[in-house]
Amino acid sequence: MRETVCGDVFRVKKIDSEGRIVIVLVDGIGSGIKANVQGTIVSTMLLNLFSKLKDFTRAVDIIFKFFESSTKRWNEIPSFTVLNVDLEGDLHVVEFNCPQVLVFRNEMLLELDRTLMSFMNKKYEVAFSSFTPTIEDRVFLYSDGVIESGKGTSKYPRGWGQNGVSDFLSKQIISDSFISAKELTSKIVHRSNQNDGFFLKDDSTCVCAYFRRPRRLLICTGPPFKKSNDLVLADIVNKFEGKKIVCGATTSYILSRELNRPIYDNFDALDPGLIDPELPPVFYMDGFDLVTEGILTLSKVSRIIEESDLYKNSISGPAHEILNLLMESDEICFVIGTRVNIAHQDPSLPVDIEIRRTVVKKIVNNLKKLHMKEVSVSYI
């Protein structure tokens, strides 16, 4: 669209104490700043109400009563979709004036049994449904910019439509049964853009909740406090099931010795995506997905997360490779060695380099707060 501000607003909140996640997508009326402000207000209210109330019909009723009491400011109510995901039970879907949620069990579309309920003397009608998700289920919610893309063209005179979206998703899943949620949603938005001749006529947003087994990642950094624990560190690494990163030369040498695996470089054939002039190059060791320098690299990882620079395609290097693995993973385990590294006490080093534990603490807090990752930290 010509507007630089999107009227679609997507929000998500994880409620650890109750073992559930609330996902909200609101399509603000119109476009630009006004639609964005409207969508932001409504999505915030929905997120807070569904987070605090177990009775979802009451939450919806409160929303409509708010609208009715503010008729001078609200000429029309934005459409919205809410998912309440109970991590140990059912998934509840609430839909108001929006494209129907699509649920795929493997490559097959699962029909939801929707119950329509009226509010404010039958002025508003909302669809409620629920089901018990299983491994490899995918749930898609999207704004009307997706199904209306291509409208008026010879190929899609009435728009891409829900059947078009459904068929497209089914083919993608059949082609790659383990395709990620990020890739699938990107394909949907890209196709919507293509339908409109690469000039979207309406805001187009797609969200996917993908139920799969957790991807695990282990990050080791820093030598153990006692040399006798070097073998303990090696045993932790050896038994871990998932991807593995080691940050720090000393830590790498310890694991190389204890696991009897050589460290080697391949500078002549180094992937350009692993080169960063600010950081030392990566090394290689069998059984590890990445071997990098320690505090400098982790400090940059922390800085990039805080600056929300995760998806700048033009940036590459070891820190961004770590970030890619962090974003792909669901359960992240940090093992932090507590021996003081004399090099970090050198007054000639940049003043913004913090001690290892402080840097890791920042990374952990941001992974939990901004990306809802399950993160554990142990010290050795």
Side-chain angles (χ1 to χ4, degrees):
M1 294 185 63
R2 291 180 177 85
E3 299 284 356
T4 56
V5 178
C6 184
D8 295 346
V9 179
F10 163 65
R11 290 184 178 275
V12 60
K13 183 176 182 179
K14 187 175 184 181
I15 308 164
D16 290 317
S17 60
E18 299 179 15
R20 63 190 180 100
I21 297 173
V22 178
I23 300 170
V24 175
L25 177 61
V26 175
D27 185 351
I29 303 298
S31 62
I33 296 294
K34 182 179 179 181
N36 181 266
V37 170
Q38 195 180 66
T40 300
I41 292 171
V42 176
S43 62
T44 302
M45 290 182 66
L46 285 166
L47 196 69
N48 290 335
L49 286 167
F50 275 78
S51 298
K52 294 175 181 178
L53 300 177
K54 296 291 182 68
D55 184 350
F56 302 141
T57 57
R58 185 185 170 206
V60 172
D61 187 55
I62 291 172
I63 285 287
F64 288 132
K65 284 180 178 177
F66 166 77
F67 289 139
E68 288 295 303
S69 64
S70 310
T71 51
K72 291 182 180 180
R73 288 178 292 171
W74 300 85
N75 296 323
E76 192 175 349
I77 300 177
S79 60
F80 60 79
T81 308
V82 183
L83 302 185
N84 179 80
V85 186
D86 186 337
L87 299 179
E88 299 295 333
D90 291 341
L91 185 152
H92 297 266
V93 183
V94 180
E95 301 163 299
F96 171 68
N97 199 27
C98 57
Q100 286 191 345
V101 164
L102 297 176
V103 180
F104 281 87
R105 182 153 292 170
N106 298 315
E107 72 274 7
M108 300 300 295
L109 186 64
L110 185 68
E111 291 294 334
L112 295 181
D113 185 12
R114 291 176 167 85
T115 299
L116 296 178
M117 294 187 63
S118 297
F119 295 83
M120 305 303 293
N121 295 321
K122 299 184 179 181
K123 187 174 182 179
Y124 307 112
E125 197 170 65
V126 180
F128 293 83
S129 55
S130 64
F131 71 99
T132 303
T134 60
I135 293 295
E136 295 304 316
D137 279 2
R138 293 176 172 91
V139 183
F140 294 90
L141 49 157
Y142 43 92
S143 61
D144 59 8
V146 173
I147 61 172
E148 292 184 3
S149 64
K151 193 171 184 178
T153 63
S154 57
K155 188 174 183 179
Y156 303 113
R158 297 183 180 179
W160 195 14
Q162 184 164 299
N163 289 338
V165 175
S166 176
D167 291 343
F168 179 83
L169 287 170
S170 180
K171 289 175 183 177
Q172 297 299 319
I173 297 170
I174 290 172
S175 176
D176 181 1
S177 59
F178 295 107
I179 187 171
S180 69
K182 179 183 175 182
E183 188 173 354
L184 265 175
T185 52
S186 296
K187 284 178 177 289
I188 285 289
V189 175
H190 177 77
R191 180 58 183 271
S192 300
N193 193 19
Q194 183 181 14
N195 292 343
D196 277 335
F198 297 100
F199 195 86
L200 283 169
K201 297 174 183 176
D202 192 9
D203 299 321
S204 297
T205 304
C206 182
V207 180
C208 174
Y210 182 17
F211 295 83
R212 54 169 172 71
R213 301 194 185 281
R215 297 174 183 147
R216 305 183 71 225
L217 174 66
L218 174 69
I219 301 181
C220 301
T221 180
F225 183 76
K226 295 180 179 179
K227 187 174 176 59
S228 57
N229 281 334
D230 288 356
L231 187 59
V232 175
L233 175 62
D235 191 54
I236 292 172
V237 170
N238 214 26
K239 291 180 179 178
F240 185 83
E241 295 182 0
K243 294 189 175 182
K244 303 169 189 178
I245 299 174
V246 56
C247 298
T250 306
T251 316
S252 303
Y253 294 143
I254 290 171
L255 290 170
S256 174
R257 183 189 67 231
E258 298 296 333
L259 296 172
N260 194 26
R261 301 175 189 173
I263 300 173
Y264 59 95
D265 65 65
N266 192 15
F267 298 153
D268 293 335
L270 193 61
D271 184 340
L274 296 174
I275 297 175
D276 183 340
E278 296 180 0
L279 299 173
V282 299
F283 286 80
Y284 300 90
M285 181 164 44
D286 289 344
F288 288 87
D289 296 271
L290 202 58
V291 179
T292 75
E293 181 276 338
I295 194 66
L296 285 169
T297 306
L298 288 173
S299 294
K300 186 162 186 177
V301 170
S302 178
R303 187 169 70 250
I304 297 170
I305 293 178
E306 289 181 343
E307 294 172 354
S308 300
D309 257 348
L310 272 62
Y311 303 111
K312 283 191 175 179
N313 296 327
S314 59
I315 301 175
S316 60
H320 279 77
E321 287 301 309
I322 292 175
L323 279 168
N324 288 337
L325 288 169
L326 288 171
M327 293 303 105
E328 291 172 1
S329 303
D330 308 296
E331 297 177 359
I332 302 161
C333 307
F334 283 90
V335 177
I336 313 301
T338 55
R339 189 191 311 171
V340 174
N341 191 329
I342 297 174
H344 298 163
Q345 313 308 310
D346 186 344
S348 67
L349 290 175
V351 295
D352 64 339
I353 295 179
E354 301 170 299
I355 61 171
R356 186 185 307 115
R357 278 175 287 186
T358 304
V359 173
V360 171
K361 184 177 180 181
K362 283 187 175 182
I363 294 173
V364 168
N365 289 340
N366 282 314
L367 287 174
K368 289 180 176 180
K369 181 180 178 181
L370 301 177
H371 303 284
M372 298 187 303
K373 303 293 184 181
E374 294 287 340
V375 189
S376 64
V377 182
S378 58
Y379 297 93
I380 186 170

